[in-house]
Amino acid sequence: MRRSADELNKMRRAGKVVAEMHEATRAAIRPGVTTKELNAVAAEVLVKRGARSNFLNYHGFPAVICTSPNDMIVHGIPGEYVLREGDIISIDCGAIIEGYHGDAAYTAGVGQISDLARKLLEVTERSMWAGIDQLVIGNRLHEVGRAVQDVAEAAGFSVVREYVGHAIGTAMHESPQVPNYWPGTPGPTLKQGMVFAIEPMVNAGSYNTYVLDDGWSVMTEDGQLSAHFEHTIAVTDDGPEVFTIA
Ligand code: MG
Ligand code: MG
């Protein structure tokens, strides 16, 4: 779906709120902090900016961010988990302004992290930017996944299959989906005003996943680390415009 200039402006504003949630949570990440405390920091930003949460009550989700440490890939529920030196933590944030959505995620290290963890974060973020670079008018959407997969697999990592990016606008998750791998069939042609959330989830080991008994937390099957980076981006006449950036 193509968004009007007025709609894109609202999404730009929602994106700024999400960027501010990133800054605030990033500044709060340290050993000893609970994921519940990070959620409170993000909630404060939503209140301050007069934004609504698109995560809270989403299919019953109980918080305004997802917090997914180490071998948890995505959708972790903030709670009593205490961050420890050497952890990596994925933080996924979203906001609604005047009915329009922003959605973005990052993975950060807690204190000193292993060489493998550092490489995983660097490669996952780079794979996201390689995907974003494909969001140009006239290109096909599957080129995003192809670019992400190339970067991740060249580094010896794998790309999660069951969870994917998506179009975004008046709902957080709109059609079409944006796989982070070659989906086997070509995607739609990109047009000015389309907006997508590009969000590679990259595993250090295999791409297989399972969900914990809480019904939310998605884990790597082999217990190895996973990272997640995401931005909300519009296809414009001047190339990709990232909304969820300060
Ligand atoms: Mg997200
Ligand atoms: Mg998303």
Side-chain angles (χ1 to χ4, degrees), residues 33-227:
V33 167
T34 64
T35 50
K36 197 171 67 180
E37 289 170 318
L38 296 178
N39 183 70
V41 163
E44 219 171 279
V45 174
L46 287 169
V47 170
K48 193 164 71 179
R49 296 299 169 210
R52 289 193 16 240
S53 174
N54 37 13
F55 286 31
L56 186 64
N57 299 323
Y58 181 87
H59 297 285
F61 191 78
V64 302
I65 62 173
C66 299
T67 54
S68 309
N70 299 323
D71 59 334
M72 195 181 289
I73 303 168
V74 284
H75 302 167
I77 301 170
E80 304 305 325
Y81 182 84
V82 180
L83 298 187
R84 288 176 307 185
E85 177 90 16
D87 279 352
I88 61 170
I89 178 82
S90 297
I91 308 281
D92 198 344
C93 300
I96 309 173
I97 290 282
E98 291 186 47
Y100 288 83
H101 291 243
D103 181 15
Y106 66 94
T107 303
V110 182
Q112 284 294 323
I113 59 173
S114 70
D115 290 345
L116 173 66
R118 196 172 309 110
K119 181 183 171 194
L120 181 65
L121 267 53
E122 184 270 316
V123 168
T124 307
E125 185 170 16
R126 187 153 47 83
S127 76
M128 173 192 69
W129 288 111
I132 290 171
D133 283 345
Q134 298 298 320
L135 292 178
V136 291
I137 294 170
N139 204 0
R140 304 282 292 260
L141 188 59
H142 65 267
E143 296 297 346
V144 170
R146 185 133 57 189
V148 168
Q149 185 174 22
D150 279 352
V151 171
E153 292 183 354
F157 298 142
S158 70
V159 163
V160 169
R161 299 299 199 268
E162 288 102 330
Y163 305 89
V164 296
H166 48 93
I168 180 169
T170 50
M172 182 160 55
H173 296 136
E174 298 186 344
S175 283
Q177 294 190 332
V178 187
N180 295 302
Y181 51 92
W182 162 242
T185 49
T189 300
L190 299 173
K191 297 192 172 78
Q192 187 277 333
M194 291 178 163
V195 187
F196 299 99
I198 302 302
E199 51 175 317
M201 289 143 263
V202 176
N203 294 353
S206 91
Y207 57 65
N208 295 319
T209 72
Y210 72 99
V211 178
L212 291 185
D213 288 340
D214 65 17
W216 285 101
S217 310
V218 180
M219 313 294 293
T220 62
E221 191 181 71
D222 59 14
Q224 294 208 56
L225 296 175
S226 183

